[in-house]
Amino acid sequence: QVQLVESGGGLVQAGGSLRLSCVASGSIFSIETMAWYRQAPGNELVATTSSGGGSNYADSVKGRFTISRDNAQNTVYLQMNSLKPEDTAVYYCHATSVTTRGTRAYWGQGTQVTVSA
């Protein structure tokens, strides 16, 4: 089992920045990929980072958002710069766990990000 707890959401003006954090606990050794999704309405995969260090981004956030992973702190971050009103959403942390029993996905509870014009 993996537990994910997000923090860092809030209200910010357009052009501002926020940093989201997601702390993982439990069977963290099994986590291969961590990602951030957003829902507002509709779901979008925002960014992913793998255990090998590679990252991928949605076209809508490239150049503005950065995903990073601190393995010592069991934490993944999403640095969001140059925020736009269309970035307003509930942001969810996601982890993919791979064990001998198979692959399983885990979700955090979500954190609201609101960007005012």
Side-chain angles (χ1 to χ4, degrees):
Q1 293 284 335
V2 172
Q3 294 80 42
L4 303 172
V5 178
E6 301 109 330
S7 62
L11 174 63
V12 64
Q13 288 187 332
S17 299
L18 283 174
R19 188 176 79 159
L20 305 183
S21 301
C22 173
V23 179
S25 61
S27 301
I28 58 174
F29 62 90
S30 67
I31 296 175
E32 288 291 327
T33 302
M34 295 193 76
W36 288 95
Y37 286 77
R38 64 187 180 186
Q39 184 175 37
N43 298 320
E44 182 181 24
L45 173 59
V46 176
T48 65
T49 181
S50 67
S51 58
S55 301
N56 288 288
Y57 298 91
D59 288 343
S60 59
V61 306
K62 280 181 181 176
R64 300 188 298 121
F65 290 12
T66 302
I67 189 170
S68 61
R69 190 168 175 173
D70 184 338
N71 290 324
Q73 299 294 327
N74 303 323
T75 302
V76 64
Y77 301 98
L78 185 67
Q79 178 66 45
M80 305 185 293
N81 299 327
S82 302
L83 282 161
K84 304 174 181 180
E86 51 264 43
D87 294 318
T88 295
V90 179
Y91 284 71
Y92 294 91
C93 181
H94 176 277
T96 302
S97 167
V98 179
T99 68
T100 55
R101 289 179 289 180
T103 300
R104 185 169 177 178
Y106 295 91
W107 294 91
Q109 82 284 0
T111 185
Q112 176 72 45
V113 171
T114 302
V115 184
S116 62

